[in-house]
Amino acid sequence: MQIYLPIAEMSANIMTLIGMGSVVGFMSGMFGVGGGFLMTPLLIFIGIPPAVAVASEANQIVASSVSGGLAHWRRRAVDIRMGLILMSGGVAGSYAGVQLFKLLRALGQVDLLISSSYVIFLSVIGALMLRESLHAIRETRKGRPIRVRRPGQHSWILRLPLRMRFRQSRLYISIIPPLLIGFLVGMLSAIMGVGGGFIMVPAMIYLLRMPTNVVIGTSLFQIIFVTSAVTVLHAVENQTVDIVLAVLLMIGGVIGAQFGAMAGQRLRGEELRALLALIVLGVACKLMLDLVFEPAELFSIQRLEVGP
Amino acid sequence: MKTAVSFLATIALTALCASGGMAQKAHANALVADLSKDQIRVASNFTGEKILLFGAIEGTGPSGASDVVVVVRGPSENFTLRRKKRVAGIWVNAEARTLGPLPGYYAVASTRALADIAPVSERAKHQIGPEYLRFSLLNQTPEAAAPHAGPRDIALYHDSFVRIKSGQNLYSVDPNGVSIIADRLFRAELTLPSGLPFGTYITEFFLFEKGRVVGYQTGELSVAITGLEQWLRVTAHDMPLLYGLFGVFIAGLMGWGVATLFRRV
């Protein structure tokens, strides 16, 4: 069954979109990640204009982070003060990201911006994850307990001025690092159509040294607001949010996430991470090859007068 | 169906003959034509639509000497075309030209190959065939300012434009698209694809004899988006802030609904 996507200006198969939403939702439930970094490239692969894919995917992540975040909220596993600081940086970053996106869109370079951001971030994150999980698998096979690396307490960046007490995280640190992390993630969110959890969570654990029990909840808390900001800003500046597309992805996503969470409980953590790392590297590889090999069509068309 | 068509055609012909003296073009009475529908509504289930273009001709030459050419043109717009080049090992958009105005949709159907029906001069005069569409090079975007663009360069961009549009089924040339029945009636079926631009389309019917236009009629066809899709599109363009907030609201509602639902289960 086909459905017309009013902003993407194309018709797509409903079952394909819901199916993609469920597969990515399944993986995000299984691995505990947002899934935006898999969904946006998939949407581009099926022919959705990259600018529409990014903005609509940000809209979908609002839904998945609200449903995920509520569970943590009820368990009080959210550091609201830290979340608000991260969010302030995030909203500023998403504004900057959307402006950059708009500028490069007018110059015809936004597809390159999206692809190259993906190639860089996915290959770095994928490689780090793969290394870490393979190491963990080897250690467990040898029967050694895994040591969690927590080098030196309070690095100099956390001792910068403007310190604030975060009771929930039991921290007294400068607000400059969380603002900067928030800003970076907000920018990535606007450019790549992701929640940014894959950067935010390691940054909170290793840089801000937040206790792991509040990390996921706080990350989701700020993702809700940052992806909402990204959605509104893309709608205002670029008119690229396709609500019909986003809603179909949401439907698939929520169904998939529930089954994914069940499947994830049966698999071992480090093997899951190794699998996810391979998927991430695969997507990065595909995007890179698309940039390196001569495309079949060297020309592209952009309509100048867009009206309803 | 055929009876209905010929009946309509006869009525139309009679009416035309009656007002023949008032016809502005001397040859206008040689051809009458109409469409099966003059409005295409694009709703959520739109995957393309077939339209029938039909009519009757009054050939002056011997049997089989008349040719009919049907042209359908979408609303004109300006397009920026970008050309990828290899820069530092990767393929990036390196060159751009803005062409326009060009129709967003263009289809031509005829009884024979266009080259056999009319000489180049005649086809160029009436813009029959995508290669004869008239447009100019515009400098609307700073990167598209190209003072050094020569005619070969422009032709390359125009050819690429037609090639991409043809790939999307938005440009088409069908040399066997019009069939003539009993030297009197003609019909052409056109399949409009799902990516249609919205606006007013122009339909043109040409009757050719010995390479010259002896009959001509023009009409309109409107393509409009409707229903929820129309509301979303209009809101997205006219009230983008409201549209964005609406998207966030729906997402929030859906996320909350799912969380609440699965908490109870």
Side-chain angles (χ1 to χ4, degrees):
Chain A
M1 201 162 69
Q2 300 279 313
I3 189 160
Y4 186 79
L5 305 174
I7 304 298
E9 294 182 348
M10 59 184 277
S11 63
N13 192 301
I14 295 187
M15 287 346 263
T16 308
L17 293 177
I18 294 184
M20 274 170 45
S22 350
V23 170
V24 174
F26 182 84
M27 287 201 256
S28 70
M30 191 157 85
F31 300 124
V33 293
F37 64 95
L38 291 174
M39 184 57 94
T40 310
L42 270 180
L43 289 174
I44 296 172
F45 295 159
I46 66 158
I48 307 280
V52 177
V54 165
S56 311
E57 178 54 19
N59 192 6
Q60 188 219 328
I61 296 172
V62 176
S64 57
S65 53
V66 165
S67 72
L70 274 176
H72 292 271
W73 179 264
R74 285 176 185 136
R75 276 191 267 127
R76 297 177 185 279
V78 177
D79 185 333
I80 298 171
R81 186 177 268 198
M82 180 62 89
L84 290 175
I85 299 286
L86 289 167
M87 185 194 98
S88 326
V91 171
S94 57
Y95 182 78
V98 169
Q99 292 302 323
L100 179 67
F101 195 95
K102 187 185 181 186
L103 176 74
L104 289 181
R105 194 160 178 246
L107 293 173
Q109 299 299 353
V110 79
D111 297 4
L112 179 67
L113 172 73
I114 297 169
S115 298
S116 49
S117 307
Y118 266 101
V119 169
I120 293 165
F121 280 94
L122 293 187
S123 40
V124 170
I125 302 279
L128 287 176
M129 267 170 53
L130 189 65
R131 206 185 70 160
E132 183 270 337
S133 55
L134 289 181
H135 177 75
I137 291 172
R138 246 179 288 130
E139 294 289 295
T140 20
R141 290 235 172 104
K142 284 182 198 156
R144 271 182 231 157
I146 303 153
R147 275 168 302 158
V148 182
R149 275 192 307 142
R150 290 194 72 127
Q153 290 296 316
H154 278 56
S155 62
W156 64 271
I157 35 169
L158 301 181
R159 278 183 269 119
L160 289 169
L162 295 172
R163 287 207 190 183
M164 192 183 259
R165 191 165 297 284
F166 297 95
R167 216 154 263 142
Q168 190 100 25
S169 303
R170 298 190 303 278
L171 287 174
Y172 179 62
I173 58 166
S174 161
I175 62 164
I176 295 173
L179 275 179
L180 287 179
I181 294 168
F183 187 87
L184 174 73
V185 170
M187 224 169 139
L188 289 184
S189 185
I191 292 169
M192 298 168 71
V194 294
F198 63 99
I199 303 264
M200 184 61 88
V201 170
M204 287 161 106
I205 295 175
Y206 296 115
L207 288 176
L208 304 182
R209 309 203 177 286
M210 286 170 62
T212 35
N213 61 326
V214 292
V215 163
I216 305 283
T218 310
S219 162
L220 283 170
F221 175 81
Q222 72 89 33
I223 287 174
I224 295 172
F225 294 99
V226 172
T227 48
S228 298
V230 169
T231 306
V232 171
L233 288 168
H234 268 305
V236 170
E237 297 286 352
N238 298 309
Q239 278 117 53
T240 43
V241 178
D242 198 311
I243 293 183
V244 176
L245 174 62
V247 166
L248 289 173
L249 296 177
M250 286 174 210
I251 294 172
V254 295
I255 299 168
Q258 301 302 325
F259 290 104
M262 285 181 230
Q265 285 161 359
R266 299 207 192 113
L267 282 163
R268 294 259 294 282
E270 38 303 354
E271 279 154 14
L272 269 180
R273 286 204 301 280
L275 185 60
L276 179 64
L278 289 177
I279 296 171
V280 166
L281 287 175
V283 174
C285 221
K286 159 89 174 110
L287 285 166
M288 174 123 105
L289 293 179
D290 287 348
L291 284 176
V292 172
F293 283 115
E294 181 168 353
E297 176 60 71
L298 288 178
F299 288 81
S300 58
I301 300 180
Q302 186 187 0
R303 243 177 27 183
L304 279 190
E305 281 150 39
V306 190
Chain B
M1 183 71 204
K2 272 182 187 167
T3 342
V5 172
S6 66
F7 176 68
L8 276 173
T10 319
I11 293 179
L13 262 184
T14 323
L16 262 178
C17 290
S19 62
M22 282 154 69
Q24 296 199 331
K25 290 189 177 111
H27 53 237
N29 58 355
L31 175 136
V32 269
D34 203 0
L35 315 176
S36 56
K37 52 186 77 157
D38 54 8
Q39 259 199 341
I40 305 284
R41 300 203 153 270
V42 176
S44 62
N45 58 354
F46 185 78
T47 55
E49 193 154 332
K50 274 189 178 155
I51 54 164
L52 182 69
L53 304 110
F54 58 89
I57 50 177
E58 186 76 39
T60 50
S63 169
S66 305
D67 282 298
V68 174
V69 177
V70 178
V71 176
V72 178
R73 303 162 57 136
S76 285
E77 287 166 306
N78 297 331
F79 297 90
T80 296
L81 269 97
R82 297 201 166 84
R83 183 186 188 181
K84 282 198 167 70
K85 286 188 175 171
R86 196 192 277 271
V87 177
I90 57 169
W91 289 88
V92 297
N93 289 330
E95 218 178 64
R97 303 274 183 272
T98 299
L99 313 179
L102 278 162
Y105 176 87
Y106 182 89
V108 48
S110 51
T111 42
R112 285 191 286 158
L114 293 170
D116 299 336
I117 294 176
V120 170
S121 58
E122 200 74 0
R123 279 180 280 153
K125 182 179 157 196
H126 299 288
Q127 302 192 60
I128 296 174
E131 63 272 38
Y132 300 114
L133 287 170
R134 282 190 287 271
F135 64 91
S136 37
L137 196 63
L138 306 164
N139 292 332
Q140 289 207 347
T141 48
E143 40 140 8
H148 55 276
R152 277 182 62 188
D153 192 57
I154 297 169
L156 175 70
Y157 276 86
H158 183 220
D159 289 350
S160 306
F161 175 78
V162 173
R163 182 177 65 242
I164 294 171
K165 283 282 188 185
S166 303
Q168 298 166 340
N169 295 322
L170 289 171
Y171 269 44
S172 64
V173 178
D174 185 357
N176 304 308
V178 180
S179 46
I180 295 189
I181 306 135
D183 286 333
R184 277 283 282 148
L185 300 173
F186 69 86
R187 52 172 281 151
E189 210 174 62
L190 213 62
T191 308
L192 303 170
S194 74
L196 281 181
F198 305 114
T200 304
Y201 285 52
I202 307 278
T203 57
E204 288 179 299
F205 300 84
F206 298 90
L207 178 64
F208 276 96
E209 261 167 35
K210 291 178 193 147
R212 291 187 50 230
V213 175
V214 294
Y216 174 77
Q217 192 186 318
T218 179
E220 281 187 358
L221 165 72
S222 95
V223 175
I225 191 163
T226 149
L228 177 67
E229 266 71 13
Q230 181 194 26
W231 183 81
L232 285 174
R233 244 179 104 85
V234 169
T235 316
H237 285 93
D238 298 347
M239 289 172 280
L241 181 64
L242 183 72
Y243 178 88
L245 291 173
F246 179 66
V248 170
F249 174 74
I250 289 194
L253 197 69
M254 212 138 154
W256 176 79
V258 168
T260 316
L261 195 75
F262 279 94
R263 195 187 176 208
R264 287 207 188 124
V265 169

